[in-house]
Amino acid sequence: MGEAHVPANRILLIPLGFTIWAAAFVVLYATNAIGCAFEWPSAVQRGMLIAISLGFLGLGGVAWHLVHRHWERNAKAEVAPAPTLSIIGIYGLGSAFVAMIGVAIPVLATSMCI
Amino acid sequence: MTDLTPETPSPIRLHKQLERIWGTGPGLQRLAAVNHTVIGKRFMITAFVFFAIGGLLAMLIRAQLATPNAAFVGPELYNQLFSMHGTVMMFLFAIPMLEGLAIYLLPKMLGARDLAFPRLTAYGYWCYLFGGTIIVVSMLFGVAPDSGWFMYTPLSSQPYTPGINADIWLLGVTFVEISAVSAAIEITVTILKLRAPGMSLNRMPLFAWYMLVTALMMVFGFPPLILGSILLELERAFGLPFFDPERGGDPLLWQHLFWLFGHPEVYIIFLPAAGAISTMIPVFAQRKIVGYHAIIAAIVALAFLSFGLWVHHMFTVGIPHLALAFFSAASAIVAIPTAVQIFAWLATLAHGRPRFDIPMLYIFGFFVVFVIGGLTGVMLAMVPFNQQAHDSYFVVAHLHYVLVGGFVFPMLAAVYFWLPHITGRQSVHRISVPAFWLIFIGFNLTFFLMHLTGLMGMPRRIYTYPSNFGWDWLNLLSSVGGFILTMGFALFAVDLILQFRFGRHFRRNIWKASTLDWAMPTRPTSYAFASLPKIEERADGIDPDRLGAELAAGKGYLGFARNNRMETLAVDMTTGRLEHLVVLPNATYLPLLSAGLTGSVVLCTLFKLYIGAIVFAIATVSSFFLWSRTTGLTTDSGPVPVGNGEFVPPDVEVDGSTPWWAMVFALSANGTLFASLIFGALYLWLVAPAWPPAEIADPGFWLWLAPVAMIVSSIVARWATGINRQGGNFAPALFAIVIIDGLTIVLISLALSALPDPTAHAHIATVAAILGYGWLHAAGGFCFALNGLMKARGGYVSARRSLPLRLSVLWHDYTAVTGVIGALLIGAMPMLIGMLEGVR
Ligand code: HEM
C-alpha cells in the first residue's frame, strides 16, 4: 500500500457547511429569545439579527470559496478519498448557504416577539 | 505472537478452525453469545415481537374508536393503550429494528469479521430486552405509562400522575436509550475503522454512509432525552422542581428536551430505511446508484436540518414569532434533501433495466406512502395550518404516513431482500403479493381517512366521541382498514414462517447483488469471511460470486486461525489503508451479568429502594472492571503477519485504536448531555416564571476548589502517560490521581451540602444538578485511575501498550473542561439573576 495520507480531520469537510448553518441557527434563535425576554426595541433586535445573518452568510461564502479553490488547485490530484471529501464538502457548503438564506429571510419582515 | 505468517489450511479445515473460535456454543452457552450475526438476529426478532405487541394495542385502539360512545375500554385504559402503542413502536420496535439490521449487516458489508465491540453489542441487546420487558410487563399490572409517548409535564409530573406509570416510562426508556447510544458508538467506530483494506471512504457502500450519519445522530440526539428523563425522575422522586412553574421550573423545558431528541429521532428511523432502499434499488434496477455524492451530501444536510426543527412540534405553545418563522423555514427546507434522495432513486430506476420482485413491490409502497407523508409534513410546517391541525387526527395520519411509509414499508422490503441471506432459503410461496396488497390497501384506508377526521376537528388521544360530528363512518372505515392491515401482517408472518420452513435452498447471491454481504456463504458463518477482502473499487460494484469463492479459499487477509483469537483488521479512517490488527474478546456471560445488574439498578430505583440501587450501581461498575481485566496483551508484540505478505501491529500498540475512538464518541454524547443541562439552566433563567428566586445558590469556597482539583488531576494523568512513554514507573502518578479524584468528590459533596434546599426553586435544583454531574465525573475519573493501576499490575501496560492511561487522560481532560464551565456558570448565576431585576 502507498504511504499517501489523508488526515482524519479532512472528514470534517463533509459537515462543515451545515455546522456553520447550525451555528447561525442557534445564534439567531438565542438572540431572538434574549431580545424578547429583555424587551429590546424591535429595530435594535432586527438590526442585530440582520448583522448576525450577514456575518454567517459571509462566513459560509468564504468557507465555500476556500474549499472550492483548494479542490480546483490541489484536491483533484490528491489521493482518494480527498477529492470525494472536497466534493461533498462543496455540495454541503452550497446547500447550507441556501438553507441559511431560507432561515434568515424572515428576519427582514416578521414581527419579533409574541 | 509468531513472526511467520501461519499457513492457510484447506477451506474445510479453515472453516472448522474459525467456527471453533467464532461460533456460539449450544444450550445455555447461547447466553454468552457476542457474535454480531447472532445478536443482530436477536435484535430484529425481538423488535418484531414488540411490533406485534404495538400492533395489537393499535387494534384495541381502533376497536374502541370504530363506533361513537363505545364502552369497549374506559378512558384510563385507553390512555395506557395509546401511550404504550407509541412508546413500543418508537423505542422498542423502530430503533432496535434498525440497530439489529445494522449489527447484522455492517461487518458483512464492510468486509470485517465482527463489530468493534462484540461484548457491548451483547450488553446493548440485554439492556434492550430487560428495559422493554419492564415497560411491557407494566401493562399486565395495569400501571403502564399513560401520559402519551412524549410524556408532557405537568401531566406526567407527580401531582397528576402519582402512580409509578410515568416512572416506568422514564426509567425503562432511559435504560433502552443507553443501549441505543452504546450501539450507536459501536456502529460509528466500526464504520470508521473496521473496513476491509482498500475501502477508502469514497468506496464505502451507501448503506454504511447512511448508518454512519444515523449513528452520529443518535450519539448527539439521544442525550437530551436521557437528561430530560433524569431531571423529570429527580423531580418526581425527590421534588427537584425543574418543570414546576410555581418554583421556577417550566413544563416547556421538558418539551424542548424531548423534541430536541424527538425530531431527529424521526430521521434516525428514516435514514437506515433509506439506506436499505439505496442498497436494494440498484440491485433491481441493475445499475449503480445515481448521485452517490449528492446522496451523501443530502443525508448530512438532513441530519443537521433535522436538529433544527424541533420547535415545529411546539408551534402552539407561545413562542416568539420570529422563532416560529425560523423553525417553519427549516421544516420546509428539510423536504429538499429528502427529495434529492427520492429523485436519485427514481433516476436509478429510470436509467436502469428494472426487474420486478417482491422487495420492489414494497419499495413501490414506500414511494407512494412516504411522499404523501412528506407533503402533509410540509403542510404542517406552515404555522397557520399547524395551528389549525395541531393535536388533531391530521397529525396522527401524517406521522403514520411518514413512519410506516418511511420505515415499515422499507423494512418489509428489506426483510424479503435479506431473509434469504439469513435463512439460506428463498421464498416459494406466492402469498407475498396478496400480503402486500392487504397491507397497502389496509394502511391507506386506515390512515388516509384520519386526514379527514382531523380536518373535521377530531382531536387525537380521545377515548371516545359523540356521534353528531360526522366522524362516525370515517372512523368505522378507518377501523376496518386497520383490521385489513392486520390481516396483511398476519399473512406476511405466515409467509416468513413458510420460507423458514419450506423455502428452497439456493447457491450464492440470489438477487445478483454487488455488495460484500453476498460474498459469503448464506446462511452466513459465525466468522462472516474465511479471509478478508482487499477492496479495489467502489464496494457497491463488486462481483460477490468471484470474490466470495476466493475469500472462502482463504486467499484474502487473515486466511488462518491463530492462537484461538478472534482477529479482524482495522484501517486508516479515510484512505482505508491497512493499519492494525484487532483482537476481539471471545464469547462471555459478562454482558448478561452487567445488563442484569444494570436492570436491578433500574428496578430498585423504580420501587424507590435507593440503597439497593446504589449497591447494584457499584456492582455494575465492578462488573465492567471484569470486562477490562483480561483485554489486551501482556507482552509487546510488534508487527505481526496478516497475510498477503503484510505486517501490522496489534490494536493495543497503536494510538488511534477502536477503544480510543469509542471514548471520543462516548464523550461527545456525554458533552451533548452536559450542553443540554447548561441549556436547561439558562433557559429557565431566561423564560421560566417565578424568577428571580428568593434565595441564591451559593456553594461557597468549595465550588472553586473542585475544578482546580480536576485540572490538577488531568495534568497528572498526562504526566503518568509521559512517564510510561519513557519506560518509567507511573504507578505513583496513578495513585496521586486516585487521591485527587477522591478529594474532588469530597469537595463537590461539601459544595452540595452548602446549598440551600434544592426543592425550593429550580435555580438551586439546576446548580445541584451541575454539581452532581461533576461529582459523577470525578467518581468516573477515580475508576479510570484504578483501572489503570489494575491493568498495570496485570502487565497489560508498557511504553507501547498505553491505552488504559490514554483513556484516563481523555476522561480527565473532559472532566476538567466541563468542571470549569459548570463552575463558571454557577459562579455567574447571581449576576445573571441580578439582570432580571426590573424585567421580570
Ligand atoms: C400497525 C398499524 C398501526 C395502527 C392501526 C396505528 C394506529 C394508531 C392510532 C389510532 C393512534 C392514535 C391514538 C390516539 O391518538 O388516541 C396512533 C398513535 C401513534 N402511533 Fe400508531 N398505528 C400503527 C402503527 C404505528 C407504527 C408502525 C408506529 C411507529 C413506528 C406508530 C407510532 C405511533 C405514535 C408515535 C403514536 C402517538 C402516540 C401518542 O399520541 O402518544 N404507529 N397509532
Side-chain angles (χ1 to χ4, degrees):
Chain A
M1 302 242 157
E3 284 309 299
H5 185 59
V6 180
N9 58 18
R10 277 282 189 95
I11 300 175
L12 297 179
L13 277 179
I14 295 181
L16 178 64
F18 275 94
T19 307
I20 299 174
W21 175 87
F25 194 84
V26 170
V27 174
L28 284 173
Y29 176 47
T31 310
N32 178 227
I34 295 171
C36 291
F38 286 98
E39 292 167 15
W40 292 348
S42 192
V44 173
Q45 204 190 134
R46 200 179 297 284
M48 280 182 73
L49 292 171
I50 291 175
I52 292 169
S53 306
L54 290 176
F56 277 103
L57 281 170
L59 186 65
V62 170
W64 185 88
H65 175 72
L66 292 177
V67 177
H68 195 260
R69 201 180 58 181
H70 172 82
W71 183 70
E72 295 244 294
R73 291 196 185 159
N74 310 320
K76 280 182 200 162
E78 278 182 311
V79 63
T84 305
L85 296 179
S86 296
I87 293 172
I88 301 172
I90 291 167
Y91 284 177
L93 280 158
S95 33
F97 191 83
V98 176
M100 231 160 0
I101 295 178
V103 171
I105 278 180
V107 167
L108 297 175
T110 313
S111 55
M112 294 285 160
C113 303
I114 300 177
Chain B
M1 288 201 180
T2 152
D3 261 3
L4 295 171
T5 310
E7 253 181 49
T8 301
S10 73
I12 303 279
R13 264 196 82 174
L14 178 60
H15 166 72
K16 284 192 176 148
Q17 289 173 350
L18 289 172
E19 192 60 45
R20 212 173 22 250
I21 300 174
W22 291 81
T24 301
L28 275 184
Q29 289 177 42
R30 291 201 174 91
L31 298 177
V34 293
N35 187 279
H36 75 280
T37 300
V38 177
I39 307 280
K41 283 193 285 192
R42 283 185 192 169
F43 257 107
M44 289 189 276
I45 292 169
T46 315
F48 266 118
V49 171
F50 282 121
F51 180 63
I53 295 173
L56 188 73
L57 296 172
M59 287 306 96
L60 295 177
I61 294 175
R62 281 313 330 163
Q64 165 68 13
L65 296 180
T67 50
N69 302 314
F72 176 55
V73 295
E76 274 168 22
L77 185 56
Y78 188 83
N79 289 349
Q80 294 190 14
L81 288 180
F82 73 74
S83 304
M84 282 297 290
H85 164 72
T87 303
V88 167
M89 288 297 195
M90 299 302 273
F91 295 106
L92 304 182
F93 161 62
I95 298 282
M97 179 67 201
L98 70 89
E99 283 168 7
L101 187 69
I103 288 170
Y104 179 85
L105 275 183
L106 273 177
K108 301 180 178 83
M109 275 201 181
L110 296 171
R113 281 186 175 149
D114 208 322
L115 293 166
F117 310 105
R119 293 182 298 189
L120 196 61
T121 329
Y123 175 72
Y125 173 73
W126 295 119
C127 285
Y128 159 50
L129 183 68
F130 296 159
T133 309
I134 293 174
I135 297 176
V136 167
V137 165
S138 69
M139 258 188 317
L140 302 179
F141 294 95
V143 289
D146 54 0
S147 321
W149 87 280
F150 36 74
M151 277 282 132
Y152 275 1
T153 55
L155 180 61
S156 57
S157 302
Q158 185 68 21
Y160 305 100
T161 305
I164 64 167
N165 312 50
D167 303 306
I168 287 174
W169 191 96
L170 294 169
L171 294 165
V173 166
T174 303
F175 195 17
V176 176
E177 299 276 271
I178 289 172
S179 133
V181 174
S182 58
I185 292 171
E186 161 148 47
I187 288 171
T188 308
V189 176
T190 302
I191 297 174
L192 290 175
K193 292 301 290 183
L194 293 202
R195 307 193 299 266
M199 195 188 283
S200 48
L201 284 177
N202 55 314
R203 290 180 180 161
M204 221 160 65
L206 272 179
F207 184 75
W209 277 106
Y210 272 101
M211 280 316 307
L212 178 62
V213 173
T214 308
L216 285 169
M217 287 176 74
M218 287 164 82
V219 165
F220 293 106
F222 282 14
L225 177 63
I226 295 178
L227 174 81
S229 303
I230 295 172
L231 296 186
L232 184 50
E233 187 54 31
L234 285 174
E235 175 175 305
R236 290 179 52 85
F238 305 110
L240 272 63
F242 299 105
F243 308 106
D244 177 357
E246 289 187 351
R247 290 179 288 156
D250 194 335
L252 285 187
L253 175 60
W254 170 264
Q255 295 199 20
H256 279 294
L257 291 176
F258 184 89
W259 289 116
L260 255 167
F261 143 85
H263 202 82
E265 152 95 343
V266 180
Y267 289 86
I268 288 169
I269 291 175
F270 168 62
L271 284 178
I277 290 176
S278 296
T279 311
M280 290 183 277
I281 284 189
V283 174
F284 292 104
Q286 305 187 73
R287 62 150 292 146
K288 274 196 175 178
I289 190 97
V290 171
Y292 177 83
H293 293 143
I295 290 183
I296 298 171
I299 49 188
V300 173
L302 253 180
F304 274 88
L305 289 168
S306 74
F307 278 88
L309 312 182
W310 81 90
V311 169
H312 76 205
H313 296 271
M314 302 165 60
F315 276 163
T316 54
V317 301
I319 291 217
H321 293 166
L322 195 56
L324 292 182
F326 291 152
F327 286 96
S328 174
S331 308
I333 290 170
V334 81
I336 297 171
T338 316
V340 167
Q341 294 167 77
I342 301 231
F343 286 120
W345 294 324
L346 290 177
T348 309
L349 286 169
H351 285 274
R353 286 172 291 117
R355 69 190 150 94
F356 172 79
D357 216 309
I358 302 298
M360 281 306 283
L361 202 50
Y362 282 93
I363 289 177
F364 156 78
F366 150 79
F367 273 121
V368 174
V369 173
F370 185 70
V371 168
I372 295 178
L375 292 177
T376 53
V378 177
M379 290 167 76
L380 284 166
M382 303 300 125
V383 179
F385 179 81
N386 186 294
Q387 290 182 338
Q388 300 297 315
H390 181 77
D391 255 350
S392 77
Y393 258 85
F394 190 89
V395 174
V396 178
H398 158 71
L399 76 90
H400 285 87
Y401 265 84
V402 275
L403 286 171
V404 177
F407 189 71
V408 177
F409 275 101
M411 278 304 119
L412 296 179
V415 166
Y416 277 109
F417 188 75
W418 275 294
L419 201 64
H421 194 283
I422 297 175
T423 60
R425 292 167 187 263
Q426 67 191 101
S427 178
V428 281
H429 299 275
R430 285 284 134 211
I431 51 176
S432 328
V433 177
F436 167 78
W437 286 111
L438 282 178
I439 293 176
F440 186 75
I441 294 168
F443 172 81
N444 281 294
L445 189 58
T446 314
F447 291 103
F448 192 81
L449 300 181
M450 289 188 197
H451 291 114
L452 306 181
T453 43
L455 291 177
M456 290 165 81
M458 179 166 167
R460 65 192 284 197
R461 298 174 167 179
I462 47 165
Y463 84 103
T464 192
Y465 50 93
S467 82
N468 54 347
F469 288 135
W471 304 340
D472 305 10
W473 66 271
L474 288 172
N475 269 306
L476 182 62
L477 276 181
S478 183
S479 294
V480 170
F483 285 93
I484 295 177
L485 178 59
T486 310
M487 286 188 308
F489 279 121
L491 213 54
F492 166 80
V494 172
D495 195 22
L496 295 199
I497 293 168
L498 290 177
Q499 180 170 341
F500 262 104
R501 189 72 193 79
F502 302 111
R504 262 185 316 185
H505 288 283
F506 62 96
R507 278 190 58 75
R508 288 165 190 265
N509 199 4
I510 180 174
W511 306 113
K512 301 276 159 279
S514 313
T515 41
L516 270 175
D517 45 329
W518 296 94
M520 60 178 60
T522 39
R523 297 175 303 163
T525 52
S526 56
Y527 49 84
F529 297 97
S531 62
L532 302 182
K534 180 169 185 167
I535 299 299
E536 280 158 342
E537 58 198 313
R538 214 168 76 193
D540 59 358
I542 57 147
D543 174 4
D545 299 323
R546 182 189 56 76
L547 190 63
E550 283 176 20
L551 298 178
K555 291 189 184 150
Y557 291 96
L558 293 178
F560 45 79
R562 173 165 44 195
N563 298 346
N564 262 335
R565 286 207 154 121
M566 297 181 13
E567 294 183 336
T568 191
L569 293 174
V571 296
D572 174 62
M573 266 191 200
T574 51
T575 57
R577 201 183 57 239
L578 177 58
E579 194 184 76
H580 63 263
L581 179 74
V582 177
V583 181
L584 297 172
N586 295 77
T588 160
Y589 293 100
L590 281 175
L592 177 60
L593 173 75
S594 299
L597 291 168
T598 319
S600 308
V601 177
V602 171
L603 283 176
C604 286
T605 316
L606 195 56
F607 295 110
K608 311 219 178 312
L609 307 169
Y610 295 115
I611 305 281
I614 292 171
V615 171
F616 280 115
I618 294 172
T620 309
V621 175
S622 312
S623 77
F624 287 128
F625 273 96
L626 294 179
W627 289 39
S628 146
R629 205 167 49 107
T630 51
T631 39
L633 296 174
T634 47
T635 49
D636 289 345
S637 112
V640 291
V642 290
N644 288 349
E646 301 207 41
F647 288 71
V648 288
D651 43 2
V652 287
E653 294 183 11
V654 294
D655 278 351
S657 60
T658 47
W660 193 87
W661 281 107
M663 186 65 154
V664 170
F665 290 112
L667 291 178
S668 306
N670 191 350
T672 316
L673 189 136
F674 182 69
S676 308
L677 180 58
I678 299 291
F679 163 77
L682 290 174
Y683 178 85
L684 293 180
W685 160 73
L686 193 64
V687 295
W691 280 66
E695 225 179 339
I696 300 285
D698 179 13
F701 178 60
W702 314 116
L703 172 68
W704 300 108
L705 281 184
V708 173
M710 286 169 173
I711 293 171
V712 174
S713 189
S714 131
I715 293 171
V716 179
R718 285 173 176 278
W719 183 47
T721 319
I723 299 174
N724 175 50
R725 207 174 302 126
Q726 275 143 29
N729 177 11
F730 55 87
L734 287 188
F735 272 118
I737 299 175
V738 171
I739 292 168
I740 301 167
D741 288 348
L743 189 70
T744 315
I745 293 173
V746 175
L747 289 171
I748 300 178
S749 305
L750 289 170
L752 272 167
S753 63
L755 288 182
D757 177 10
T759 62
H761 194 274
H763 158 58
I764 309 169
T766 46
V767 170
I770 294 170
L771 288 172
Y773 184 87
W775 193 99
L776 283 175
H777 281 74
F782 184 87
C783 292
F784 271 101
L786 277 187
N787 182 50
L789 280 170
M790 181 184 82
K791 299 293 286 181
R793 254 196 93 214
Y796 289 96
V797 182
S798 75
R800 269 198 200 164
R801 291 170 284 120
S802 59
L803 180 68
L805 304 185
R806 285 184 292 115
L807 291 183
S808 168
V809 168
L810 272 181
W811 183 271
H812 282 94
D813 284 356
Y814 174 86
T815 304
V817 170
T818 49
V820 170
I821 295 174
L824 287 177
L825 180 67
I826 296 174
M829 274 323 279
M831 183 195 76
L832 292 174
I833 290 170
M835 286 166 64
L836 295 178
E837 301 292 339
V839 184
R840 300 236 296 281

